Amino acid sequence: KQEVTQIPAALSVPEGENLVLNCSFTDSAIYNLQWFRQDPGKGLTSLLLIQSSQREQTSGRLNASLDKSSGRSTLYIAASQPGDSATYLCAGKVSGNTPLVFGKGTRLSVIA
Amino acid sequence: GAVVSQHPSWVICKSGTSVKIECRSLDFQATTMFWYRQFPKQSLMLMATSNEGSKATYEQGVEKDKFLINHASLTLSTLTVTSAHPEDSSFYICSARGASLGNTIYFGEGSWLTVV
């Protein structure tokens, strides 16, 4: 059964800093992995989706990587801004029609 | 992208009553819908998977008689929390997948339930 772990649980950085959020998963036969953002009291916003055949995806200041052999994914945020403060969740699925399995998230605070 | 809408966004109910949460796919036919629950500072946990026209498949530890899921049409699934208790207070979020959209899953905005 796929398990997803995110470290650290919380992270506080000064504005402008580059940062990396980590996600690990137990089943290397992962179908795809997705990074989400969740603001307090809100739903999920999909940030990046990486298919199993891909190694990374980029969107603006965000870059997500996927290394199936090591069971890891990272979300890199460049030049962080206070508006980036949120909880970031990674989630993976082992096949096309199975649900996403979520990590517990990393709560990011970017201090102005 | 495809849109999934949940209603209500916020609901407060008295202990012992039942409350229904709706999940609608607005611009595609959702062959599969997933219901998640998220307690404060916890991750999203899958409660059940429902396929249109079939009974929902519940995850271990989720009471099917307490959390009634109906997926009677390709655009609507409902989650009814029966005889709600304060410990059922949580954030409930649905997601939907449509055959026409491949295997991409789209999430609703979520529903906050507070049982008093």
Side-chain angles (χ1 to χ4, degrees), chain B residues 59-87:
Chain B
E59 295 298 300
Q60 191 172 9
V62 179
E63 301 174 58
K64 62 180 181 180
D65 294 330
K66 179 172 181 61
F67 299 98
L68 303 179
I69 292 174
N70 183 285
H71 191 171
S73 78
L74 284 171
T75 59
L76 173 65
S77 176
T78 60
L79 167 67
T80 301
V81 182
T82 63
S83 187
H85 291 122
E87 56 263 33

Side-chain angles (χ1 to χ4, degrees), chain A residues 17-111:
Chain A
E17 194 164 293
N18 302 326
L19 60 100
V20 175
L21 305 181
N22 296 296
C23 173
S24 61
F25 46 92
T26 55
D27 190 343
S28 61
I30 196 164
Y31 182 80
N32 64 35
L33 187 135
Q34 201 162 354
W35 283 91
F36 294 88
R37 169 183 173 141
Q38 185 176 34
D39 293 285
K42 303 289 186 179
L44 303 177
T45 300
S46 180
L47 298 174
L48 290 164
L49 170 66
I50 310 177
Q51 302 292 349
S52 63
S53 59
Q54 299 173 325
R55 292 190 63 85
E56 65 178 342
Q57 285 286 321
T58 298
S59 176
R61 294 183 293 108
L62 306 179
N63 175 278
S65 69
L66 176 65
D67 184 343
K68 292 194 301 179
S69 61
S70 66
R72 292 181 181 178
S73 175
T74 61
L75 178 66
Y76 174 82
I77 302 177
S80 58
Q81 303 170 357
D84 296 330
S85 298
T87 295
Y88 290 82
L89 296 160
C90 77
K93 57 193 306 189
V94 295
S95 68
N97 59 0
T98 57
L100 289 164
V101 177
F102 284 84
K104 290 186 177 181
T106 295
R107 190 169 65 257
L108 173 66
S109 297
V110 181
I111 311 300

